[in-house]
Amino acid sequence: MLAPFRANALGALLFTACALSPVVWPSMAHADDAANFLAGQSRACVKCSLVAAQLKQKDLSGADLTGADLSRAVMHRAKLGGAKLNGADLTEANLNKTDLKTASLVGVKAENAMFYGSDLSAADLSDADLANAKMQTAYLVSAKLDHARISEAMLNAVRLDDASLRDADLSKTNLVEASLRRANLEGANLDNAGLVNAVLRDAKLEGAKLTEADLYGADLSGADLTGADLSGARLTGAILAGAILTSVKLNGTIMPDGTVHP
């Protein structure tokens, strides 16, 4: 057994060693990760703070930015193909003409973000918040947007062919001249959506809510609208050749020939 004096001395030494040893706090570690990432020394910046970061035209292909705060960041024409952005904050970020092919953006927060002309083909945006996002002419072929919130967004002339938007919220969204060939919109909310001249050939719209939607001149040929609610919608000039209209609600709907359904 150690003598009392020697035991006390040993305890003091251990206390001093612990006090002098460096402690890496999480915030400091993330700051170092951010600095290394911005300097191009790392491809990973998990949960980093990159608010308003200038990443224009940067090659960030395959980068891991899971949970990162990229709000107001500028990523115009950046290369983010295959990147991991799950749970990241992209609020008001600029991603115009950005390459995001096959990127994972599950649960991303992107309210008021800009994706004009961006390539998001085969990207996973499940559960993403894209409310008020500006996505005109974006390329989202085969993208996954199940349960995504895309209300009041600008998706004019967007390409969503073969995309999955099951139970997505697209209420009051502008989809004028959008291409949604074979898209899966089962259970989607398209209340008051603007779908003028949109192409929905062979799209799946079972149980979709299209109340008060503007489908003027839309091509719905071959679309499955089983159980969909089109009450109050405008179908003037719409093409319904081969469409499945089983159990569709048409209360007050303006039909293709201009007549109002009772």
Side-chain angles (χ1 to χ4, degrees):
M1 180 179 294
L2 292 173
F5 175 78
R6 291 179 62 191
N8 290 339
L10 180 59
L13 286 171
L14 290 172
F15 176 81
T16 303
C18 291
L20 293 175
S21 62
V23 177
V24 181
W25 300 103
S27 58
M28 293 175 64
H30 291 159
D32 289 340
D33 289 344
N36 291 334
F37 180 80
L38 293 171
Q41 298 171 358
S42 172
R43 306 291 286 184
C45 204
V46 176
K47 295 184 179 180
C48 288
S49 177
L50 295 165
V51 177
Q54 298 299 308
L55 300 166
K56 183 178 180 180
Q57 297 183 327
K58 295 285 187 181
D59 187 352
L60 305 170
S61 304
D64 189 351
L65 292 159
T66 302
D69 187 350
L70 286 151
S71 54
R72 302 193 307 280
V74 178
M75 290 171 275
H76 178 68
R77 291 186 182 275
K79 294 180 180 179
L80 284 155
K84 295 178 182 178
L85 289 146
N86 299 331
D89 189 345
L90 294 167
T91 304
E92 298 182 5
N94 181 344
L95 293 115
N96 289 336
K97 298 186 177 180
T98 300
D99 179 0
L100 286 152
K101 292 190 294 289
T102 71
S104 185
L105 299 108
V106 177
V108 73
K109 298 177 182 178
E111 286 190 75
N112 297 300
M114 296 182 289
F115 292 89
Y116 179 86
S118 293
D119 189 348
L120 291 132
S121 53
D124 191 347
L125 293 125
S126 303
D127 298 300
D129 188 348
L130 294 156
N132 295 296
K134 311 299 184 290
M135 305 181 78
Q136 298 95 317
T137 71
Y139 196 78
L140 287 141
V141 173
S142 299
K144 190 174 181 180
L145 294 123
D146 297 334
H147 306 286
R149 180 189 173 210
I150 323 172
S151 56
E152 300 185 61
M154 300 293 289
L155 275 74
N156 314 52
V158 72
R159 289 288 302 277
L160 280 158
D161 303 325
D162 299 300
S164 183
L165 296 120
R166 292 181 300 110
D167 298 309
D169 182 2
L170 291 148
S171 57
K172 299 181 180 179
T173 291
N174 190 332
L175 287 150
V176 172
E177 297 184 351
S179 181
L180 292 133
R181 291 175 175 85
R182 300 172 302 279
N184 188 342
L185 290 146
E186 294 176 4
N189 180 6
L190 288 146
D191 174 62
N192 275 285
L195 289 150
V196 174
N197 295 324
V199 180
L200 291 138
R201 294 176 192 166
D202 302 310
K204 296 178 180 179
L205 289 150
E206 296 101 313
K209 183 180 181 182
L210 290 148
T211 50
E212 305 291 336
D214 192 348
L215 289 146
Y216 179 92
D219 186 352
L220 289 151
S221 54
D224 189 347
L225 289 147
T226 301
D229 190 348
L230 285 153
S231 300
R234 182 168 75 143
L235 289 166
T236 309
I239 302 171
L240 293 165
I244 300 172
L245 302 168
T246 306
S247 301
V248 171
K249 295 179 181 178
L250 296 166
N251 301 328
T253 302
I254 301 175
M255 303 306 289
D257 60 1
T259 60
V260 180
H261 196 280

